[in-house]
Amino acid sequence: MAIDSLSKITLIEVLQNMAQDIQNVTAILLTNIRENSNVEYIEKFYRQELMSTKDKISRNKDRIFDYLASGRLELISYKEFYINTALQLECSISKLEAGIYRLLLSYSIEKGVDSDIYKAIEGLIGEIYNSSQSLVDLLRSISTGTKGNSEKRKMIEERFNKISDSEEKGDMIYREGLAKVLMKYSDKPSRLISFKETIEYLEDCLDCLFNSAVYIKLIGFSGLS
């Protein structure tokens, strides 16, 4: 039982590092999007901060897979929850990267972004930040050993619900943003496609964060009697 407990703590720490990396890189992105940074800065961010974070998260996912496949952790329960959490976190950073790449493509076609569409992009990134922050808190709540089962269950539920709220808000922003894109750029197919894919990928990022939260919640509840 001690081996199972130690292994679980180690895996949760790696998952928490992955979620923290998403939160950190999204915080940088959100600050600069809100300040209407020029395309050169966003491109620099994409090539340096975002791509390096994506690589780091993929390496941590591989660490978890190697850890679970090594045979040393054969006693740990619910391996599939950890595997799926890691995959969904990798999915979220991949979707974020794809969305920002499409945003850069739109800038290469034509400078400037319609204010309503820019607001939708900013809103989605804001919800990605909120969701990733709550995801870090959710993982921390699981590794907190000083709470009773009922109090810990309540804490897990509250933090999971925050992520669920961000996912629902993201859905609304996505639908409104997509309508704006279709209306604004119906006569400009290249701009329409690039902005449409930008907000689609950002919304997909939120979905992946929510999916990871579902598995983390299962991990947390599996440790309660």
Side-chain angles (χ1 to χ4, degrees):
M1 196 69 180
I3 293 174
D4 183 82
S5 178
L6 179 61
S7 304
K8 182 176 179 179
I9 291 170
T10 304
L11 290 169
I12 288 173
E13 285 175 349
V14 178
L15 291 173
Q16 185 174 316
N17 288 339
M18 295 170 73
Q20 186 71 65
D21 286 337
I22 296 171
Q23 180 189 348
N24 291 344
V25 79
T26 307
I28 297 169
L29 175 59
L30 184 59
T31 297
N32 288 287
I33 287 288
R34 285 175 173 168
E35 293 175 354
N36 291 296
S37 293
N38 58 38
V39 64
E40 288 79 14
Y41 190 92
I42 295 175
E43 184 172 1
K44 181 180 177 182
F45 163 83
Y46 172 82
R47 298 190 184 284
Q48 295 182 1
E49 302 286 345
L50 189 50
M51 294 305 292
S52 63
T53 299
K54 183 181 177 184
D55 290 343
K56 186 177 178 183
I57 287 172
S58 291
R59 288 196 301 271
N60 270 329
K61 180 214 67 178
D62 291 340
R63 281 182 64 201
I64 289 176
F65 281 26
D66 291 343
Y67 209 34
L68 291 172
S70 66
R72 291 175 297 160
L73 302 181
E74 59 185 14
L75 298 179
I76 194 165
S77 304
Y78 307 109
K79 287 184 182 181
E80 66 275 15
F81 295 165
Y82 296 95
I83 291 170
N84 286 320
T85 301
L87 286 171
Q88 290 299 318
L89 289 172
E90 183 182 48
C91 167
S92 66
I93 194 66
S94 295
K95 298 297 185 180
L96 179 60
E97 180 269 323
I100 300 306
Y101 178 72
R102 266 61 177 189
L103 180 61
L104 288 171
L105 281 179
S106 72
Y107 277 118
S108 71
I109 297 166
E110 181 184 324
K111 302 299 181 184
V113 182
D114 178 82
S115 60
D116 287 335
I117 296 171
Y118 197 87
K119 184 178 178 181
I121 292 170
E122 179 187 328
L124 285 168
I125 294 171
E127 292 306 328
I128 291 169
Y129 172 77
N130 292 337
S131 188
S132 60
Q133 184 180 49
S134 297
L135 200 59
V136 172
D137 291 341
L138 177 61
L139 283 157
R140 284 177 179 157
S141 69
I142 290 173
S143 57
T144 300
T146 57
K147 306 288 184 180
N149 282 346
S150 60
E151 189 175 355
K152 197 165 185 178
R153 183 181 294 273
K154 182 180 178 182
M155 186 185 300
I156 290 170
E157 286 282 9
E158 287 175 349
R159 291 174 182 180
F160 174 81
N161 288 340
K162 287 183 179 180
I163 299 165
S164 180
D165 288 344
S166 284
E167 197 269 339
E168 290 179 6
K169 290 176 183 175
D171 282 344
M172 291 177 59
I173 296 169
Y174 162 75
R175 289 193 295 270
E176 292 172 1
L178 183 59
K180 297 286 186 183
V181 169
L182 295 173
M183 181 175 63
K184 177 72 177 179
Y185 296 113
S186 60
D187 58 340
K188 297 180 179 179
S190 57
R191 290 281 272 179
L192 188 150
I193 291 170
S194 60
F195 280 127
K196 177 176 176 291
E197 290 185 345
T198 296
I199 64 173
E200 283 178 343
Y201 278 118
L202 294 177
E203 200 269 339
D204 287 344
C205 175
L206 272 170
D207 287 342
C208 291
L209 288 171
F210 174 76
N211 292 340
S212 67
V214 171
Y215 291 112
I216 293 167
K217 180 181 175 181
L218 290 171
I219 291 169
F221 281 177
S222 70
L224 302 178
S225 57

